[in-house]
Amino acid sequence: MSHSSISLTAIEADIRAQAPAFKEIYKIPCSQCDKPLDMMSRATPERYRLMDCTEAVSHRTLRILEFTAFPRVLYAALSYVWRGNKPTAGCRRSTHEFSVLGAEDADPIGVNVLIDVCTAALACGALYLWVVRLCIMQTDKQDKLWQIREMYRVYTFATVCVVAPGGLRVLVPLSEETQWIHRGWTLQEVVAPPAVAVLFAWTHGAGKMHMRIQGENKYGKIEVVASGQSAMMGLEAVVGICAVGQFEFTPDNNGAHSNPQSPLHVEVALFGKPLSEPNASQDSPLIHADEIHLPNVAVLTFATARNLDTEEMRDYCIWQCALVRTSSRPLDMVFSIMGLFGAVLDPADFAADDRLGATIALAREILRQGRSASWLGLAVTLPPCPCLPTFPVFPKTSVAGQAMYNLPNGESRTVRLEEAVYPNDIGLYPPLKGSMDENGYHSFNALAILVAIAPDATILSSAAPYDDMTHPTQLRALDGSTWRVVNANIVIDTLDVRDSMPPHREPRSYAVLLGFYNGIPAITTGNNLRAMLLTEHEKDLYHLRSYFLLSGEALRWTSTWKERGFCVGGPEMV
């Protein structure tokens, strides 16, 4: 049965049979959508709302329904950016555009894009669509705060999430870069749902995608949404082709021709462009072009995976993805991921710019649940947050663009993941847990060894940050400082007895083991062991100064470190 033949009466009968009470709060032909629409004059705060996809596709009509309780119907949720790509020469422009009252700072919504999204939703079996701009009362603070708490639930129970990376004004081709992967809310929007489809401009018809990543062949399917205009592909496949920057496309009907054409080579930049051009050859473009050029894209694969061995792997990758994203409001960087960790915070409890307080509240709730401190070692090349050093420095927030952080000299730098890694549960290092107080001090037990500043004559390179792979006596931290490992007997007999220490002694510092980390895909060679460099700033209070990278060959040595308790926070006051 075609989507256009579905009876509106039958649809609503189905709703009434299995869903809570609802009412129609808005209905207008798309041709009349030519000014900021006040769709919520008949809406009630703290209600669920959905757009009718069949009305949009069959009759080009915008129709919004409001439910008194969570709607038990098949619906899709939309992921997009508030301010997306601008129309370019040759792109498909919408015949009508409209804005929504209270959200005029966002790009206008293109009717053609909205109908393509609804068409994709119908193709995935969803009759309705949830859109932030259309289903939240943009002029009502009470409704907004309530919807933020419900956002994770909305995406979790969606049949599918449809991603429009370039925004709602125009569909962009795979070769055009967007800001979607840099925006805060889009992470939850693709991690929570059971399925995700990416929508893009496409003129080559349905067919198969082939790429190579880290020496492995990967395949995917491109499905047409609007013939000659748009198509969709699963998120996992799109993330893969974005990570390597290209793929080969073979049309479904290629075998029907007497002279089948060679696969079409397609460049991809949808989720970002690599800093250097992929190393490909003209004869076989994919043979040498299988390296991961965008770690932040690759790590999204693990954040959305359903088959990881441990919760810590997934959580760590979620933190990595969140780090390189930004939003118009600092608080959104916490609220946009809290549901992924099973937490619900009340936005009314925090000031609009209190990202630090909200982050502490989220971390405390995660630890209270008995989960691990999966944010530890999140970005070892970034400086620690001065008030909450177990986290890296917080990037600045903005309504558009990428995440940036301030340098000490006043300049700004883009936050980038230098690598795509995840913690590997090899049975030797249980994940660190513990508790956190309201000032952000994290108390936990971990394997550790005492270290002290090495003599100035000690020189270790960043390529070989230790003097021995299996049992080092000297270590170079990522901040460039060099340290010597203090003999265990000395630790017990003198340095660890605080009352016997002279008042002028150096603060105690420890290498504190985090664990064994794999690359993405599973690369297990190199400096896989990681440790925090903690330095005491008050009695029994430590702050994170930097990190150590150790060879996997030091696995046996690190397992002999002694377990001790730490309280890590500050040194600046919250």
Side-chain angles (χ1 to χ4, degrees):
M1 178 184 294
S2 67
H3 300 303
S4 60
S5 65
I6 298 176
S7 164
L8 182 61
T9 303
I11 293 172
E12 294 191 345
D14 180 64
I15 295 177
R16 294 186 188 280
Q18 58 179 305
F22 75 95
K23 67 178 181 180
E24 178 183 283
I25 62 170
Y26 197 79
K27 186 176 183 180
I28 186 175
C30 291
S31 59
Q32 298 179 20
C33 297
D34 54 2
K35 60 182 179 180
L37 302 182
D38 181 9
M39 298 181 295
M40 297 300 165
S41 59
R42 294 184 57 209
T44 303
E46 301 186 10
R47 295 288 188 270
Y48 303 96
R49 304 173 194 97
L50 295 173
M51 176 184 170
D52 188 332
C53 290
T54 304
E55 278 289 304
V57 174
S58 300
H59 306 293
R60 296 183 71 87
T61 296
L62 181 60
R63 181 173 185 253
I64 308 295
L65 302 178
E66 183 177 83
F67 297 78
T68 57
F70 195 88
R72 291 182 288 116
V73 297
L74 297 177
Y75 69 91
L78 179 62
S79 176
Y80 67 100
V81 292
W82 205 248
R83 294 182 183 176
N85 293 40
K86 304 300 181 184
T88 58
C91 74
R92 176 191 173 209
R93 298 289 297 268
S94 287
T95 52
H96 287 86
E97 294 180 343
F98 66 93
S99 59
V100 176
L101 192 66
E104 293 90 344
D105 61 330
D107 287 342
I109 297 174
V111 169
N112 287 351
V113 175
L114 191 59
I115 289 176
D116 276 7
V117 170
C118 288
T119 304
L122 289 168
C124 295
L127 300 177
Y128 304 95
L129 179 68
W130 190 89
V131 187
V132 169
R133 196 105 55 90
L134 303 180
C135 299
I136 294 179
M137 300 174 69
Q138 299 296 331
T139 57
D140 190 288
K141 184 177 180 180
Q142 175 188 350
D143 190 64
K144 280 187 175 181
L145 293 179
W146 183 82
Q147 296 284 356
I148 286 174
R149 297 197 301 270
E150 293 293 309
M151 204 83 74
Y152 177 73
R153 186 183 184 191
V154 168
Y155 279 90
T156 297
F157 288 98
T159 300
V160 64
C161 173
V162 178
V163 178
L168 293 184
R169 192 174 190 186
V170 62
L171 286 183
V172 299
L174 293 169
S175 59
E176 188 170 332
E177 187 173 7
T178 73
Q179 297 299 311
W180 178 88
I181 203 167
H182 301 293
R183 308 309 300 163
W185 284 101
T186 60
L187 176 59
Q188 175 179 262
E189 292 164 3
V190 295
V191 174
V196 181
V198 181
L199 183 64
F200 49 91
W202 183 257
T203 61
H204 303 292
K208 296 181 176 59
M209 174 277 296
H210 167 225
M211 67 172 176
R212 286 179 61 84
I213 182 167
Q214 298 293 105
E216 296 183 15
N217 290 307
K218 301 287 185 180
Y219 300 91
K221 185 172 180 57
I222 295 179
E223 301 180 54
V224 170
V225 174
S227 181
Q229 298 174 341
S230 61
M232 61 182 175
M233 185 162 43
L235 178 69
E236 181 179 0
V238 174
V239 168
I241 61 177
C242 287
V244 297
Q246 56 191 304
F247 71 97
E248 288 180 344
F249 172 73
T250 303
D252 282 345
N253 61 357
N254 197 39
H257 299 290
S258 56
N259 295 311
Q261 298 178 348
S262 299
L264 176 67
H265 181 71
V266 181
E267 299 288 337
V268 182
L270 199 63
F271 295 158
K273 294 181 179 179
L275 297 179
S276 59
E277 291 299 319
N279 179 24
S281 68
Q282 292 183 347
D283 295 334
S284 300
L286 298 187
I287 291 179
H288 302 291
D290 64 349
E291 297 180 358
I292 291 177
H293 298 278
L294 295 171
N296 66 310
V297 176
V299 79
L300 182 60
T301 303
F302 270 62
T304 56
R306 307 285 175 180
N307 58 346
L308 296 183
D309 293 338
T310 68
E311 182 180 75
E312 285 72 31
M313 290 181 182
R314 170 186 173 273
D315 289 356
Y316 183 85
C317 291
I318 288 173
W319 283 114
Q320 282 188 304
C321 289
L323 175 68
V324 293
R325 295 168 183 253
T326 187
S327 183
S328 58
R329 301 192 319 151
L331 281 181
D332 284 349
M333 298 312 303
V334 178
F335 298 148
S336 64
I337 61 173
M338 63 181 179
L340 301 176
F341 298 105
V344 179
L345 304 178
D346 188 346
D349 292 341
F350 306 92
D353 59 350
D354 189 13
R355 180 176 180 177
L356 177 61
T359 301
I360 292 174
L362 176 58
R364 296 184 71 190
E365 174 60 19
I366 290 172
L367 295 174
R368 187 196 66 79
Q369 295 174 11
R371 298 166 75 117
S372 68
S374 51
W375 58 86
L376 293 176
L378 174 58
V380 296
T381 59
L382 290 182
C385 174
C387 300
L388 191 62
T390 53
F391 284 82
V393 61
F394 292 161
K396 296 186 294 183
T397 53
S398 62
V399 72
Q402 301 183 19
M404 310 284 290
Y405 70 95
N406 291 325
L407 297 173
N409 61 7
E411 297 179 357
S412 295
R413 178 177 296 172
T414 302
V415 178
R416 299 185 186 278
L417 285 184
E418 301 294 333
E419 57 184 358
V421 298
Y422 62 90
N424 183 4
D425 180 15
I426 57 176
L428 294 179
Y429 309 120
L432 301 184
K433 296 184 178 181
S435 63
M436 182 177 289
D437 68 17
E438 60 185 9
N439 293 315
Y441 273 84
H442 182 194
S443 299
F444 58 88
N445 291 331
L447 297 178
I449 194 167
L450 192 68
V451 295
I453 290 287
D456 293 338
T458 304
I459 299 177
L460 295 173
S461 69
S462 57
Y466 36 72
D467 61 349
D468 186 82
M469 294 178 64
T470 59
H471 198 296
T473 60
Q474 296 180 341
L475 303 169
R476 175 189 168 101
L478 287 176
D479 65 357
S481 58
T482 305
W483 301 76
R484 62 183 177 87
V485 177
V486 179
N487 184 282
N489 293 327
I490 297 177
V491 175
I492 296 173
D493 295 340
T494 60
L495 295 183
D496 209 30
V497 182
R498 187 171 184 89
D499 292 340
S500 65
M501 296 305 300
H504 60 275
R505 71 162 179 85
E506 290 293 322
R508 291 181 296 182
S509 294
Y510 285 88
V512 179
L513 195 62
L514 283 174
F516 188 95
Y517 290 75
N518 279 358
I520 299 177
I523 301 171
T524 57
T525 57
N527 296 328
N528 300 103
L529 289 174
R530 304 195 169 192
M532 298 181 286
L533 172 57
L534 301 185
T535 297
E536 190 177 34
H537 56 268
E538 290 185 29
K539 181 181 178 180
D540 298 327
L541 299 180
Y542 293 80
H543 64 275
L544 192 152
R545 175 170 174 171
S546 186
Y547 294 90
F548 295 113
L549 302 184
L550 305 171
S551 169
E553 299 294 324
L555 191 64
R556 183 182 297 275
W557 173 60
T558 55
S559 66
T560 66
W561 293 5
K562 304 299 182 183
E563 182 175 332
R564 60 168 292 127
F566 291 94
C567 185
V568 182
E572 295 186 11
M573 295 297 293
V574 173

